[in-house]
Amino acid sequence: MEMILKVLSAAVRSGTPLLFATLGEIITERSGVMNLGLEGLMLIGAITGFMVSYNTKNVYLGFIAAMIAGAIFALLHAFMVITLRVNQVVSGLALTMLGTGISGMLGRSYIGQVAPKFSEMRIPILSDIPGIGEIFFSHDILVYLTYILVPLTFFILFKTKPGMILRAVGEEPSAADSRGINVYLVRYIATTIGGAITSAGGAYLSLAYTSMWIENMSAGRGWIAIALVIFSAWEPFKAMIGSYLFGGMMATQLRLQAGGKVNISANILMMLPYIATLVAMVIFSSSEKFRKRIGAPTALGIPYSREEKT
Amino acid sequence: MRKAVFILFLSVLLFLMLIPNPAYAKKLKVAFIYVGPIGDAGWTYAHNQGRLHIEKVFGDQIETTYVESVPEGMEALQVIRSLVKKGYKVVFTTSFGYMDPTLMAAKEFPKAHFFHCSGYKTYKNMTAYFGRMYQPRFLTGIVAGMMTKSNIIGYVAAHPIPEVIRGINAFALGVKLVNPKAVVKVVWTHTWYDPAIEKEAALSLLDAGADVIAQHQDSPAPQQAAQERGAYGIGYNSDMSAFAPKAHLTAPVWNWGVFYEYAIRGILDGTYKHGNYWWGMKEGIVDIAPFGPMVPDNVKKIVNVFKEAIIDGTFDPFEGPIYDQEGKLRVKAGEKLSDEALLSMDWFVDNVEGTIPKGAGE
């Protein structure tokens, strides 16, 4: 029992950086813009957060700076793909390279340094609930932020007018345009906000998970997040489930090894997260209800241009 | 307009990728090929410290450059070729996966010198070099064995290959020497480098009762996990105390500069002989990092006694009797393991808890 709680708690912790990135990309993609530069954005977030936190000794400022930096780089992507209509895949990959390179360069002098970090902050009363408290309410403040961010994103996307406009732009940009919606502006805003949230996932790695900067510290999480966006069918709550599932499988296989009582090959344990993802995808897509709702925004990856319309 | 901006964007990218630029002068030009970024605070960082060391020692006589994050395999050959064509007559390739490309380059450019780290193939102008990291690992095992109170020591390990297994065994033998009751629990991460997974692995060991965390991983994340839980840590690659000052007891570390200096001096004098160099603490290519303030004097004393004995050759960590996990006698009393047996090790000593995934050592 004790071990199960620990595993679930670890699942939330290690799923959180993925969740930030997945959530950011969902917002971006819902507007019809694909951003494959998540890995780069996470690294930008990680280094900016660390630099600011190190120099100001204020971890909150670091986190905010990370989100601003992510927004700026996402804006660059937006300019490329929305205004210049560069191929979104190419621009996204370029953003990953750019983010990796710039973060590496900026980070040179910060290697071996330690900055303030978000420490564990148990929520009174809630953390005393047996089980639930240990799993969900014995983390740092950034984890709690996602508890707000996920329902908020869901609410805005599906229950408000701005959210409806954003989704309309991602599904039928020309129809939205004819209703007087500024498609470019909506996509700019969605991409920028999405980038800021993705970078927050990177900052989680350098400000909460650890308190250090090392190059490429996101170690491929940006790519996993892209897969999770599809897994989650572009929905925030499923993104949460997917992120925790992924984090949880990883935590389980490590803990089974540490427990020392299980004699399963570590290779098989390593495959668990991927098998779980596959199984979940099969279950999700075989149910009629889910299948109808699954599917990318129709205009995803297609640059919008008013002139081309006749 | 659209194209122009995009081209500008691409050229900025290209420019960033070209840093650092090789300079131009008539000196012995030495190049390093790294598998990771020099900012990894681990393996590549340690090699780069070695490069900086020879720059300092030889000053104007040499000129160095490096290429980071070069994929292992045939792509590396292109990188080596272009370096040699730019006049780099000495090339160090610092990861196992560069072995065959390095050998091919050595045959292609007979006048250049090649040095490959952690492999076994050599040629008339190609050296294989590595360090006996198991020696300082054994010493850090002594430290861990004396510092543990729960008698459970966690070991975060990357991949089940002989190099890592050898390190775990040496460490466990060090633990056993001073504390026969303690066990070493191993968790495989199956990655050299992923700070979040490394930290999670360390946490899982701490949850399982470990109060000292050792690692064969390239990031200091396991050390930070140890510090957060008030446990101790033993780093790897280079002194990681800055990352977790309250936890960091010591670390087995690489001093690649010692070998790099020897090789460059030999090449400058024209006396260098290519071959297989597997140096140890005696030559100084491996060592242990300074002790943290929490390590008591009696621990330091014992470690120093064994350090001296290893250096003057009167003691070897793999001296028998050594039993494996099944209780089988692997090394008889009075004997010690041959280099061959060390290089193909695929079994754990008896105080290790954990399994080696099948297919290891192949």
CSV table of all heavy atoms in Angstrom, one decimal, chain B residues 63-98:
chain,number,residue,atom,x,y,z
B,63,GLU,N,46.9,23.5,-30.7
B,63,GLU,CA,45.6,24.2,-30.8
B,63,GLU,C,44.6,23.1,-30.8
B,63,GLU,O,44.7,22.1,-31.4
B,63,GLU,CB,45.7,24.9,-32.2
B,63,GLU,CG,44.5,25.6,-32.6
B,63,GLU,CD,44.5,25.9,-34.1
B,63,GLU,OE1,45.6,26.4,-34.6
B,63,GLU,OE2,43.5,25.7,-34.7
B,64,THR,N,43.5,23.4,-30.1
B,64,THR,CA,42.5,22.3,-29.9
B,64,THR,C,41.1,22.8,-30.4
B,64,THR,O,40.9,24.0,-30.5
B,64,THR,CB,42.3,21.8,-28.5
B,64,THR,OG1,41.7,22.8,-27.8
B,64,THR,CG2,43.7,21.5,-27.8
B,65,THR,N,40.3,21.8,-30.8
B,65,THR,CA,38.9,22.1,-31.1
B,65,THR,C,38.1,20.9,-30.7
B,65,THR,O,38.7,19.8,-30.3
B,65,THR,CB,38.7,22.3,-32.6
B,65,THR,OG1,37.4,22.9,-32.8
B,65,THR,CG2,38.8,21.0,-33.4
B,66,TYR,N,36.8,21.0,-30.7
B,66,TYR,CA,36.0,19.9,-30.4
B,66,TYR,C,34.7,20.0,-31.1
B,66,TYR,O,34.3,21.1,-31.6
B,66,TYR,CB,35.7,19.8,-28.9
B,66,TYR,CG,35.0,21.1,-28.3
B,66,TYR,CD1,33.6,21.1,-28.3
B,66,TYR,CD2,35.7,22.2,-27.9
B,66,TYR,CE1,32.9,22.2,-27.8
B,66,TYR,CE2,35.0,23.3,-27.4
B,66,TYR,CZ,33.6,23.3,-27.4
B,66,TYR,OH,33.0,24.4,-26.9
B,67,VAL,N,34.1,18.8,-31.3
B,67,VAL,CA,32.7,18.8,-31.9
B,67,VAL,C,31.8,18.0,-30.9
B,67,VAL,O,32.2,16.9,-30.5
B,67,VAL,CB,32.7,18.0,-33.3
B,67,VAL,CG1,31.4,18.2,-33.9
B,67,VAL,CG2,33.8,18.6,-34.2
B,68,GLU,N,30.8,18.7,-30.5
B,68,GLU,CA,29.9,18.1,-29.5
B,68,GLU,C,28.8,17.3,-30.1
B,68,GLU,O,28.4,17.4,-31.3
B,68,GLU,CB,29.2,19.2,-28.7
B,68,GLU,CG,30.1,20.1,-27.9
B,68,GLU,CD,29.2,21.3,-27.4
B,68,GLU,OE1,29.0,22.2,-28.1
B,68,GLU,OE2,28.8,21.2,-26.2
B,69,SER,N,28.2,16.4,-29.3
B,69,SER,CA,26.9,15.7,-29.6
B,69,SER,C,27.0,15.1,-31.0
B,69,SER,O,26.1,15.2,-31.8
B,69,SER,CB,25.7,16.7,-29.5
B,69,SER,OG,25.6,17.2,-28.3
B,70,VAL,N,28.1,14.4,-31.2
B,70,VAL,CA,28.2,13.7,-32.5
B,70,VAL,C,27.6,12.3,-32.4
B,70,VAL,O,28.0,11.5,-31.4
B,70,VAL,CB,29.7,13.5,-32.9
B,70,VAL,CG1,29.9,12.7,-34.2
B,70,VAL,CG2,30.3,14.9,-33.1
B,71,PRO,N,26.7,11.9,-33.2
B,71,PRO,CA,26.0,10.6,-33.1
B,71,PRO,C,27.1,9.5,-33.2
B,71,PRO,O,28.0,9.6,-34.0
B,71,PRO,CB,25.0,10.6,-34.2
B,71,PRO,CG,24.9,11.9,-34.7
B,71,PRO,CD,26.2,12.7,-34.4
B,72,GLU,N,26.9,8.4,-32.5
B,72,GLU,CA,27.8,7.3,-32.6
B,72,GLU,C,27.4,6.5,-33.9
B,72,GLU,O,26.3,6.6,-34.4
B,72,GLU,CB,27.6,6.3,-31.4
B,72,GLU,CG,28.0,7.0,-30.1
B,72,GLU,CD,27.9,6.1,-28.9
B,72,GLU,OE1,26.8,5.8,-28.5
B,72,GLU,OE2,29.0,5.8,-28.4
B,73,GLY,N,28.4,5.9,-34.5
B,73,GLY,CA,28.2,5.2,-35.8
B,73,GLY,C,28.9,5.9,-36.9
B,73,GLY,O,29.7,6.8,-36.7
B,74,MET,N,28.4,5.6,-38.1
B,74,MET,CA,29.1,6.1,-39.3
B,74,MET,C,29.1,7.6,-39.5
B,74,MET,O,30.0,8.1,-40.2
B,74,MET,CB,28.6,5.4,-40.6
B,74,MET,CG,29.1,4.0,-40.7
B,74,MET,SD,30.9,3.9,-40.6
B,74,MET,CE,31.2,2.7,-39.3
B,75,GLU,N,28.1,8.3,-38.9
B,75,GLU,CA,28.2,9.7,-39.1
B,75,GLU,C,29.4,10.3,-38.5
B,75,GLU,O,29.9,11.3,-39.0
B,75,GLU,CB,27.0,10.3,-38.3
B,75,GLU,CG,25.8,10.5,-39.2
B,75,GLU,CD,24.6,11.0,-38.4
B,75,GLU,OE1,24.5,12.2,-38.0
B,75,GLU,OE2,23.7,10.1,-38.1
B,76,ALA,N,29.9,9.6,-37.5
B,76,ALA,CA,31.2,10.1,-36.8
B,76,ALA,C,32.3,10.2,-37.8
B,76,ALA,O,33.2,11.0,-37.7
B,76,ALA,CB,31.5,9.3,-35.6
B,77,LEU,N,32.3,9.2,-38.7
B,77,LEU,CA,33.4,9.1,-39.7
B,77,LEU,C,33.5,10.4,-40.5
B,77,LEU,O,34.6,10.9,-40.8
B,77,LEU,CB,33.3,7.9,-40.6
B,77,LEU,CG,34.4,7.6,-41.6
B,77,LEU,CD1,35.7,7.5,-41.0
B,77,LEU,CD2,34.1,6.4,-42.5
B,78,GLN,N,32.4,10.9,-40.9
B,78,GLN,CA,32.4,12.2,-41.7
B,78,GLN,C,33.0,13.3,-40.9
B,78,GLN,O,33.7,14.1,-41.4
B,78,GLN,CB,30.9,12.5,-42.1
B,78,GLN,CG,30.2,11.5,-42.9
B,78,GLN,CD,30.9,11.1,-44.2
B,78,GLN,OE1,31.6,12.0,-44.8
B,78,GLN,NE2,30.8,9.9,-44.6
B,79,VAL,N,32.6,13.3,-39.6
B,79,VAL,CA,33.1,14.4,-38.8
B,79,VAL,C,34.7,14.3,-38.6
B,79,VAL,O,35.4,15.2,-38.8
B,79,VAL,CB,32.5,14.3,-37.4
B,79,VAL,CG1,33.0,15.4,-36.5
B,79,VAL,CG2,31.0,14.5,-37.5
B,80,ILE,N,35.1,13.0,-38.4
B,80,ILE,CA,36.6,12.8,-38.3
B,80,ILE,C,37.3,13.2,-39.6
B,80,ILE,O,38.3,13.9,-39.6
B,80,ILE,CB,36.9,11.3,-38.0
B,80,ILE,CG1,36.2,10.9,-36.7
B,80,ILE,CG2,38.4,11.1,-37.9
B,80,ILE,CD1,36.3,9.4,-36.4
B,81,ARG,N,36.7,12.8,-40.7
B,81,ARG,CA,37.3,13.1,-42.0
B,81,ARG,C,37.5,14.6,-42.2
B,81,ARG,O,38.5,15.1,-42.6
B,81,ARG,CB,36.4,12.6,-43.1
B,81,ARG,CG,36.8,11.2,-43.5
B,81,ARG,CD,36.1,10.9,-44.9
B,81,ARG,NE,36.2,9.4,-45.1
B,81,ARG,CZ,35.1,8.7,-45.4
B,81,ARG,NH1,33.9,9.2,-45.5
B,81,ARG,NH2,35.3,7.4,-45.7
B,82,SER,N,36.4,15.3,-41.9
B,82,SER,CA,36.5,16.8,-42.2
B,82,SER,C,37.5,17.4,-41.2
B,82,SER,O,38.1,18.4,-41.6
B,82,SER,CB,35.1,17.4,-42.0
B,82,SER,OG,34.7,17.4,-40.7
B,83,LEU,N,37.6,16.9,-40.0
B,83,LEU,CA,38.6,17.5,-39.1
B,83,LEU,C,40.0,17.2,-39.6
B,83,LEU,O,40.8,18.1,-39.6
B,83,LEU,CB,38.4,16.8,-37.7
B,83,LEU,CG,37.2,17.4,-36.9
B,83,LEU,CD1,37.0,16.5,-35.7
B,83,LEU,CD2,37.5,18.8,-36.4
B,84,VAL,N,40.3,16.0,-40.0
B,84,VAL,CA,41.6,15.7,-40.5
B,84,VAL,C,41.9,16.5,-41.7
B,84,VAL,O,43.0,17.1,-41.9
B,84,VAL,CB,41.7,14.2,-40.8
B,84,VAL,CG1,43.1,13.9,-41.5
B,84,VAL,CG2,41.5,13.3,-39.6
B,85,LYS,N,40.9,16.7,-42.6
B,85,LYS,CA,41.2,17.5,-43.8
B,85,LYS,C,41.5,19.0,-43.4
B,85,LYS,O,42.1,19.7,-44.2
B,85,LYS,CB,40.0,17.4,-44.8
B,85,LYS,CG,40.1,16.1,-45.5
B,85,LYS,CD,38.9,15.9,-46.5
B,85,LYS,CE,39.0,14.5,-47.1
B,85,LYS,NZ,37.7,14.0,-47.5
B,86,LYS,N,40.9,19.4,-42.3
B,86,LYS,CA,41.2,20.8,-41.9
B,86,LYS,C,42.5,20.9,-41.2
B,86,LYS,O,42.9,21.9,-40.7
B,86,LYS,CB,40.1,21.2,-40.9
B,86,LYS,CG,38.9,21.8,-41.6
B,86,LYS,CD,37.9,22.4,-40.5
B,86,LYS,CE,36.5,22.3,-41.0
B,86,LYS,NZ,35.6,22.1,-39.8
B,87,GLY,N,43.3,19.8,-41.1
B,87,GLY,CA,44.6,19.8,-40.5
B,87,GLY,C,44.7,19.3,-39.1
B,87,GLY,O,45.8,19.4,-38.5
B,88,TYR,N,43.7,18.7,-38.6
B,88,TYR,CA,43.8,18.2,-37.2
B,88,TYR,C,44.4,16.8,-37.3
B,88,TYR,O,43.7,15.8,-37.7
B,88,TYR,CB,42.4,18.1,-36.6
B,88,TYR,CG,41.9,19.5,-36.2
B,88,TYR,CD1,41.1,20.3,-37.1
B,88,TYR,CD2,42.4,20.1,-35.0
B,88,TYR,CE1,40.7,21.6,-36.8
B,88,TYR,CE2,42.0,21.4,-34.7
B,88,TYR,CZ,41.2,22.1,-35.6
B,88,TYR,OH,40.8,23.4,-35.3
B,89,LYS,N,45.7,16.7,-36.9
B,89,LYS,CA,46.4,15.5,-37.1
B,89,LYS,C,46.3,14.6,-35.9
B,89,LYS,O,46.8,13.4,-35.9
B,89,LYS,CB,47.9,15.8,-37.3
B,89,LYS,CG,48.1,16.5,-38.7
B,89,LYS,CD,47.9,15.6,-39.9
B,89,LYS,CE,48.2,16.3,-41.2
B,89,LYS,NZ,47.2,16.1,-42.2
B,90,VAL,N,45.7,15.1,-34.8
B,90,VAL,CA,45.4,14.2,-33.6
B,90,VAL,C,44.0,14.3,-33.3
B,90,VAL,O,43.4,15.4,-33.1
B,90,VAL,CB,46.3,14.7,-32.4
B,90,VAL,CG1,46.0,13.9,-31.2
B,90,VAL,CG2,47.7,14.8,-32.8
B,91,VAL,N,43.3,13.1,-33.3
B,91,VAL,CA,41.9,13.1,-33.1
B,91,VAL,C,41.6,12.2,-31.9
B,91,VAL,O,42.0,11.0,-31.9
B,91,VAL,CB,41.1,12.7,-34.3
B,91,VAL,CG1,39.6,12.7,-34.0
B,91,VAL,CG2,41.4,13.7,-35.5
B,92,PHE,N,40.9,12.7,-30.9
B,92,PHE,CA,40.4,11.9,-29.8
B,92,PHE,C,38.9,11.6,-30.0
B,92,PHE,O,38.1,12.6,-30.1
B,92,PHE,CB,40.6,12.5,-28.5
B,92,PHE,CG,42.1,12.7,-28.1
B,92,PHE,CD1,42.8,13.8,-28.4
B,92,PHE,CD2,42.7,11.6,-27.3
B,92,PHE,CE1,44.2,13.9,-28.1
B,92,PHE,CE2,44.0,11.7,-27.0
B,92,PHE,CZ,44.8,12.8,-27.3
B,93,THR,N,38.5,10.4,-30.0
B,93,THR,CA,37.1,10.1,-30.1
B,93,THR,C,36.6,9.5,-28.8
B,93,THR,O,37.2,8.4,-28.4
B,93,THR,CB,36.8,9.1,-31.3
B,93,THR,OG1,37.5,8.0,-31.1
B,93,THR,CG2,37.1,9.8,-32.6
B,94,THR,N,35.7,10.1,-28.1
B,94,THR,CA,35.5,9.8,-26.7
B,94,THR,C,34.2,9.0,-26.3
B,94,THR,O,33.7,9.2,-25.3
B,94,THR,CB,35.5,11.1,-25.9
B,94,THR,OG1,34.5,11.9,-26.3
B,94,THR,CG2,36.8,11.8,-26.1
B,95,SER,N,33.8,8.1,-27.2
B,95,SER,CA,32.7,7.2,-26.8
B,95,SER,C,32.9,5.9,-27.5
B,95,SER,O,33.4,5.8,-28.6
B,95,SER,CB,31.4,7.9,-27.2
B,95,SER,OG,30.4,7.1,-26.6
B,96,PHE,N,32.3,4.9,-26.9
B,96,PHE,CA,32.5,3.5,-27.4
B,96,PHE,C,32.1,3.3,-28.8
B,96,PHE,O,32.8,2.7,-29.6
B,96,PHE,CB,31.7,2.5,-26.5
B,96,PHE,CG,31.9,1.1,-26.9
B,96,PHE,CD1,33.1,0.4,-26.5
B,96,PHE,CD2,31.0,0.4,-27.7
B,96,PHE,CE1,33.3,-0.9,-26.9
B,96,PHE,CE2,31.2,-0.9,-28.1
B,96,PHE,CZ,32.3,-1.6,-27.7
B,97,GLY,N,31.0,4.0,-29.2
B,97,GLY,CA,30.4,3.8,-30.5
B,97,GLY,C,31.2,4.4,-31.6
B,97,GLY,O,30.8,4.2,-32.8
B,98,TYR,N,32.2,5.1,-31.3
B,98,TYR,CA,33.1,5.7,-32.4
B,98,TYR,C,34.2,4.7,-32.8
B,98,TYR,O,35.1,5.1,-33.6
B,98,TYR,CB,33.8,7.0,-31.9
B,98,TYR,CG,32.8,8.1,-31.5
B,98,TYR,CD1,33.1,8.9,-30.4
B,98,TYR,CD2,31.6,8.3,-32.2
B,98,TYR,CE1,32.3,10.0,-30.0
B,98,TYR,CE2,30.8,9.3,-31.8
B,98,TYR,CZ,31.1,10.2,-30.7
B,98,TYR,OH,30.3,11.2,-30.4
